[in-house]
Amino acid sequence: MSPSRSVLLVGEGNFSFSSSVCKLDSESGSNITATCPQHQEEALRHDGAAANIQTIKDLGGSVLFEVDCTKLGECAFLKGRVFERVVFNFPHCGRKSGVKKNRELLKNFFLSCVEVLARDGEVHVSLCNGQGGTPADHPKREWHNSWQVSAMAAEAHLILSAVRQFESDNVPSYKSTGYRSQDKGFHVEKALLHVFSRSTPFTPVQIVQMEEVAEGEMVHYNIPAELSDYVSRGFLSSDSIHPVKLVQDFLLEGLGKHWPVSMKREPFPLLISAKQLQSCCHDLDILQYYWIHLLQKELTSQAQEDDAVCSNIKATSPPTKADRVRSKGTESLQPVCCHDFNLEVEGGLYLLRPSLLPQLEELLINTDISGNADPQEKIYQSSEVECSKTEEACDDCNRSSSLLCGVSGVVFRSVPISLWALPAFHEILLTGVFPLENEPVKLIGHELEALLSPYGVSIVTEERSLHLVAQPMGLIGKVFASNTADGNNHVTVSASLNLDLLAVLLFSLPDWRLLWSHDPRFLKQFSLRPPPGTSFQPFSLYPESFSFDISFWTGPAWEEKMFHAIVREASCGTVEQVKLIDTFSHPDLSQTSYCYRLIYHSHTHALSHTQALTFHKELEVLLSSRMQVTVR
């Protein structure tokens, strides 16, 4: 055991383990507290217990008797104390107790020990091989026949951080005892030590009110509740170490060996008009748009243009605490998402940007050509690329200079819930004008394939475009020709890439939702800016998944898109799959019954059965109140 400032050991039998720890840590300044559930007289009956207790006391430790490990907060001697480590070796209810009783023991112990556990403390639980029910057990028991240690810990908001061999050789004087309430040892060969730590709390759903300038007008609107945790995160800021930023830098440096790349840093609003989108994004699915109803609109006059620009910059900065309003009691500010608008006949419509292409095209049209470098740009260019002047790399991107201009930021898609369906992700969009004779679509596709093929990305040729695909997520980007220019001798070529899915690939993440984690243990692994190909080490091992079904009657105005949005909101994003398993339309009533199966699973938080059920009950409430369904 490594040195620790304060250690609490519970469920001791003959105190041989505590005695060994005291001997090993006698010079480290550790404070050892050893406890057992028996009376002192009963505990002393164990062979060697008296000598071990004396050793603990001689080395500065303390010994407590009659301590119930499931009620540590009630122990008078532990009141007001916290420990950096709580250790429970080979827990057992005694006698021939079954797995259910031992699961209950574990759950109650975890719920109890968090009351005396330091904020960054650890809980160590040693189990015989096979008892834990995790993939680390060899052989692994059937789940229903195991102690389900990670699921029991999740009930106390603890995650399994590590599993390693129980090294009995490091405590040579340790003699396990108490098997089936006898002075008999457990089988410590191939035993496993499970290390648990606290999980961060789930981020509550919020109403995020935004203020931005759109089409010369100051507008106010609310981010849909299920997207509240996807805005103003700053993952692509210049000093960011987030993996999406590392992937972006990797791409730009690679492409910069062949073309100078100018990245624009202007603060683009999240809101765009349907008119902006209609002019360029013909291949996007209108059913995936997040339509927004404005709360308020303030026209800005020409004389206030400068103020409007400043307001635009302010509006796209992270909202202050005053801007973030908890959803409770703010129903009047709820944004209404529209699903049935016709772009051909409706005007004045706004939506969250599903792509950066409209904003990039507008930026290029309004680019002010000058000989000075734009402070809002960053130029990525290798010394191998011939460029006589820096000004050439900052010139107008509409010229045939083989310069790639780029923007990046978060975009939003209202997609059904599935393993690789991202409602928000970071897009990088690069565009440039190239001679037609160079076949620029193939040229850029070839360079991207050279960069990304080592990580499982391949190129699929489509009509007038190339698709970048990888398993298991599917499409992660595309290269396409937008239009021709300069008398049809040149063509505008763009490349759009999903930085989130690329980060999953390049750093071997088990789940894209980890990218949005607030847990500091996630970013800590990227503090040294590891190169692509460095595998992420999960800080939550073997999280359990839970399946719940929900069925209900709906009316004729049923909208599945809204159903998925409410599922995301109610579950705090923990539902990773939604499957329609049954439908039935009543022959006499205008009602249809739907039955869905929801899979709850989280790599970022301690998701227990109790917590998942709480989310599911909240879903039933929201569906009844917002969609007027009748839950069956």
Side-chain angles (χ1 to χ4, degrees):
M1 177 179 294
S2 58
S4 180
R5 187 162 52 90
S6 56
V7 180
L8 173 66
L9 298 104
V10 303
E12 285 290 275
N14 58 16
F15 291 92
S16 60
F17 186 84
S18 301
S19 174
S20 298
V21 170
C22 285
K23 293 175 183 177
L24 291 173
D25 295 347
S26 59
E27 297 180 0
S28 67
S30 295
N31 185 351
I32 307 297
T33 301
T35 71
C36 75
Q38 295 95 358
H39 296 282
Q40 181 174 356
E41 294 78 9
E42 185 179 353
L44 290 173
R45 294 173 188 167
H46 289 293
D47 185 32
N52 291 327
I53 292 172
Q54 190 60 47
T55 299
I56 295 169
K57 294 180 177 179
D58 291 343
L59 294 174
S62 57
V63 177
L64 301 176
F65 302 97
E66 300 180 60
V67 176
D68 187 343
C69 68
T70 65
K71 300 177 181 179
L72 294 174
E74 298 179 10
C75 178
F77 295 99
L78 300 179
K79 291 285 186 181
R81 297 184 62 184
V82 292
F83 298 87
E84 293 178 344
R85 184 169 300 173
V86 179
V87 180
F88 197 175
N89 287 320
F90 305 106
H92 199 275
C93 286
R95 304 193 182 279
K96 294 184 178 181
S97 53
V99 292
K100 290 185 178 180
K101 287 186 177 180
N102 285 305
R103 279 186 214 143
E104 194 70 16
L105 170 64
L106 282 176
K107 183 179 75 171
N108 291 333
F109 159 68
F110 286 125
L111 289 169
S112 171
C113 78
V114 293
E115 298 183 44
V116 296
L117 184 67
R119 181 178 179 181
D120 297 323
E122 295 180 345
V123 181
H124 289 202
V125 176
S126 300
L127 296 174
C128 298
N129 184 38
Q131 288 179 337
T134 72
D137 288 297
H138 299 288
K140 181 183 176 183
R141 291 187 189 178
E142 294 289 336
W143 175 244
H144 67 274
N145 196 35
S146 74
W147 292 14
Q148 303 174 5
V149 63
S150 59
M152 297 302 103
E155 296 289 343
H157 307 291
L158 296 171
I159 56 176
L160 181 59
S161 300
V163 181
R164 47 181 179 262
Q165 291 293 319
F166 178 78
E167 299 177 344
S168 56
D169 293 342
N170 291 342
V171 280
S173 59
Y174 172 55
K175 178 184 177 183
S176 65
T177 186
Y179 176 71
R180 292 186 176 178
S181 302
Q182 305 172 38
D183 202 5
K184 182 179 179 182
F186 292 90
H187 298 289
V188 298
E189 297 81 9
K190 298 183 180 180
L192 296 177
L193 172 64
H194 304 77
V195 181
F196 299 90
S197 56
R198 292 185 186 272
S199 168
T200 55
F202 285 97
T203 303
V205 172
Q206 299 175 327
I207 294 298
V208 180
Q209 187 175 150
M210 301 295 292
E211 178 186 84
E212 293 181 330
V213 171
E215 296 187 313
E217 299 172 342
M218 180 67 69
V219 296
H220 301 261
Y221 65 96
N222 289 337
I223 295 291
E226 71 270 20
L227 301 178
S228 63
D229 201 34
Y230 295 114
V231 296
S232 306
R233 298 294 297 272
F235 293 164
L236 293 176
S237 61
S238 59
D239 59 346
S240 173
I241 58 170
H242 195 278
V244 296
K245 179 62 163 58
L246 301 184
V247 170
Q248 175 176 287
D249 292 344
F250 169 72
L251 291 172
L252 296 178
E253 290 168 8
L255 294 174
K257 296 178 180 178
H258 305 278
W259 308 278
V261 183
S262 170
M263 290 299 292
K264 303 290 182 177
R265 291 180 175 174
E266 296 192 15
F268 302 107
L270 301 181
L271 198 71
I272 63 173
S273 68
K275 181 180 177 181
Q276 288 176 276
L277 192 67
Q278 193 176 15
S279 63
C280 59
C281 298
H282 306 291
D283 60 338
L284 294 180
D285 187 353
I286 188 174
L287 296 177
Q288 296 183 1
Y289 294 169
Y290 272 107
W291 295 102
I292 297 295
H293 274 177
L294 303 182
L295 300 174
Q296 182 180 348
K297 182 187 296 185
E298 301 171 1
L299 298 181
T300 58
S301 66
Q302 186 67 27
Q304 296 173 316
E305 183 175 348
D306 292 340
D307 292 337
V309 173
C310 294
S311 298
N312 186 20
I313 296 173
K314 176 183 177 181
T316 52
S317 300
T320 63
K321 290 184 179 179
D323 295 324
R324 294 179 176 266
V325 184
R326 293 294 299 274
S327 57
K328 184 176 180 181
T330 59
E331 289 81 356
S332 61
L333 295 179
Q334 290 277 5
V336 180
C337 295
C338 315
H339 310 291
D340 54 358
F341 281 114
N342 185 343
L343 287 179
E344 300 295 332
V345 299
E346 296 286 347
L349 301 180
Y350 293 92
L351 66 155
L352 296 179
R353 61 190 189 198
S355 169
L356 297 176
L357 188 57
Q359 293 170 321
L360 179 59
E361 290 199 351
E362 184 176 315
L363 177 68
L364 299 183
I365 292 173
N366 298 324
T367 299
D368 181 18
I369 303 175
S370 65
N372 297 319
D374 188 345
Q376 295 295 331
E377 298 178 3
K378 181 173 182 179
I379 307 299
Y380 291 81
Q381 177 182 335
S382 170
S383 59
E384 300 174 10
V385 180
E386 294 184 4
C387 185
S388 58
K389 296 181 180 180
T390 304
E391 287 81 357
E392 293 180 15
C394 299
D395 208 349
D396 184 8
C397 297
N398 285 318
R399 296 177 63 185
S400 307
S401 59
S402 297
L403 164 70
L404 290 176
C405 268
V407 293
S408 59
V410 65
V411 296
F412 306 90
R413 306 276 177 90
S414 182
V415 292
I417 297 173
S418 64
L419 282 174
W420 299 106
L422 283 61
F425 63 90
H426 296 83
E427 177 188 31
I428 181 170
L429 185 62
L430 302 167
T431 189
V433 178
F434 296 84
L436 271 172
E437 61 184 9
N438 292 343
E439 297 186 287
V441 172
K442 291 184 179 180
L443 184 62
I444 294 178
H446 172 75
E447 297 304 333
L448 287 173
E449 185 178 27
L451 283 173
L452 299 174
S453 60
Y455 310 101
V457 178
S458 58
I459 297 289
V460 176
T461 303
E462 301 287 341
E463 184 180 358
R464 296 194 64 200
S465 67
L466 297 177
H467 285 190
L468 286 80
V469 298
Q471 296 301 324
M473 58 276 297
L475 182 69
I476 60 172
K478 58 184 178 179
V479 183
F480 56 95
S482 302
N483 54 55
T484 56
D486 295 342
N488 294 331
N489 292 323
H490 292 78
V491 64
T492 301
V493 176
S494 301
S496 169
L497 296 168
N498 186 323
L499 291 174
D500 293 49
L501 292 182
L502 284 174
V504 170
L505 279 175
L506 272 59
F507 293 105
S508 302
L509 300 179
D511 190 336
W512 64 266
R513 292 173 295 177
L514 274 163
L515 295 168
W516 301 93
S517 173
H518 292 272
D519 197 310
R521 286 169 287 197
F522 176 73
L523 277 187
K524 184 178 180 180
Q525 293 199 31
F526 301 94
S527 59
L528 299 179
R529 299 180 179 272
T534 304
S535 294
F536 174 76
Q537 301 301 314
F539 55 83
S540 178
L541 300 178
Y542 317 129
E544 296 301 327
S545 60
F546 304 96
S547 175
F548 295 102
D549 291 351
I550 186 169
S551 58
F552 43 81
W553 288 102
T554 71
W558 164 252
E559 296 182 36
E560 190 174 41
K561 179 177 179 178
M562 185 178 294
F563 169 70
H564 284 268
I566 293 175
V567 170
R568 284 193 172 100
E569 177 184 347
S571 69
C572 290
T574 59
V575 172
E576 68 177 13
Q577 291 188 74
V578 174
K579 299 178 181 178
L580 178 63
I581 60 176
D582 189 34
T583 60
F584 170 74
S585 295
H586 199 284
D588 300 323
L589 304 175
S590 298
Q591 289 184 318
T592 301
S593 173
Y594 293 88
C595 182
Y596 288 90
R597 178 158 296 159
L598 279 60
I599 308 297
Y600 293 79
H601 192 214
S602 176
H603 285 273
T604 60
H605 296 83
L607 180 64
S608 64
H609 181 274
T610 301
Q611 181 65 71
L613 185 59
T614 300
F615 287 149
H616 202 68
K617 294 297 183 183
E618 175 67 12
L619 173 62
E620 294 179 350
V621 172
L622 292 182
L623 288 176
S624 299
S625 62
R626 295 187 188 175
M627 300 192 73
Q628 286 74 53
V629 305
T630 302
V631 178
R632 298 174 59 187

